[in-house]
Amino acid sequence: MLEIKRAKLQNYQEIDKILVEIHNYHYEKFPSHFKKINSFLSFEKFQAILTEETIEIIIGEEENKVVGICLIKIIQIEETELIHSRKSILIENLGVTEEYRNRGIASKFLGEVDKIAKQKNINHIQLQVWGFNERAIKLYKKNKYQNRTQILQKNLNFSRLK
């Protein structure tokens, strides 16, 4: 049975492996932007993240095995003459290992993020998703996420300046 909980130091290797899987999926789809990696973050960086007040790593564990992760960051946007101040949750990474996909685990992570937002009186959850990641886009739409902005890119075939 799936258990959703906060990550601990001993989960480092399994979490890093999932983050590498997520990143390398992006590399496969967009190699001109992403580099292929073997490790996503160092143990020291992971340790620092776990002590960070504004960052949480949520894991999905089944039979003592980490099968998915969701890394969120709480951000405070200050008021300016143009915008209102607000707190928001940014989903930085969300992924489930290949063999555990299509079991509703990612939706459970999103539900957990909703709970955290309610506990912290935060009214906005945001994330970025690449246009090629149709599976993720379908998941987010199913969970009532709406497109707020788009980033468009034009590729030019100019040689890099030396």
Side-chain angles (χ1 to χ4, degrees):
M1 175 132 180
L2 182 73
E3 185 180 359
I4 302 284
K5 58 187 183 180
R6 300 302 179 270
K8 295 183 178 164
L9 209 49
Q10 62 263 29
N11 302 125
Y12 165 72
Q13 288 183 325
E14 291 175 290
I15 289 170
D16 189 60
K17 184 178 177 184
I18 295 168
L19 290 170
V20 166
E21 188 178 322
I22 294 167
H23 179 88
N24 285 339
Y25 168 76
H26 290 83
Y27 161 75
E28 289 169 15
K29 297 293 185 178
F30 199 8
S32 64
H33 184 79
F34 293 99
K35 294 179 179 180
K36 188 172 176 95
I37 60 169
N38 295 315
S39 180
F40 190 86
L41 71 162
S42 69
F43 180 76
E44 292 76 21
K45 177 75 173 163
F46 179 72
Q47 201 170 17
I49 287 171
L50 290 182
T51 63
E52 200 46 65
E53 283 185 35
T54 59
I55 299 175
E56 289 190 45
I57 301 176
I58 306 160
I59 61 170
E61 208 173 57
E62 201 164 283
E63 297 174 8
N64 294 318
K65 179 182 179 184
V66 176
V67 299
I69 67 115
C70 183
L71 189 149
I72 63 170
K73 183 185 284 186
I74 297 166
I75 54 175
Q76 175 68 47
I77 298 164
E78 299 301 327
E79 184 162 342
T80 70
E81 52 281 345
L82 301 174
I83 61 169
H84 296 288
S85 68
R86 65 188 175 280
K87 257 184 165 175
S88 185
I89 289 180
L90 175 63
I91 298 175
E92 294 253 338
N93 281 295
L94 173 62
V96 176
T97 58
E98 182 109 31
E99 69 180 282
Y100 285 87
R101 288 189 189 141
N102 300 313
R103 298 185 188 187
I105 295 171
S107 290
K108 287 180 180 159
F109 279 127
L110 294 174
E112 185 66 19
V113 175
D114 288 352
K115 288 180 197 172
I116 292 168
K118 285 178 187 169
Q119 290 168 355
K120 297 182 181 290
N121 200 28
I122 295 174
N123 294 317
H124 301 96
I125 301 168
Q126 58 190 28
L127 55 86
Q128 290 185 0
V129 61
W130 287 90
F132 59 75
N133 198 342
E134 294 174 13
R135 182 178 60 224
I137 292 167
K138 183 178 174 184
L139 164 75
Y140 299 134
K141 285 184 177 180
K142 180 178 114 187
N143 283 277
K144 301 189 176 20
Y145 283 75
Q146 300 170 347
N147 189 3
R148 190 185 78 187
T149 186
Q150 289 186 351
I151 297 173
L152 304 176
Q153 176 175 309
K154 177 181 180 180
N155 291 323
L156 301 173
N157 291 322
F158 299 127
S159 297
R160 290 187 177 204
L161 297 176
K162 294 183 181 187

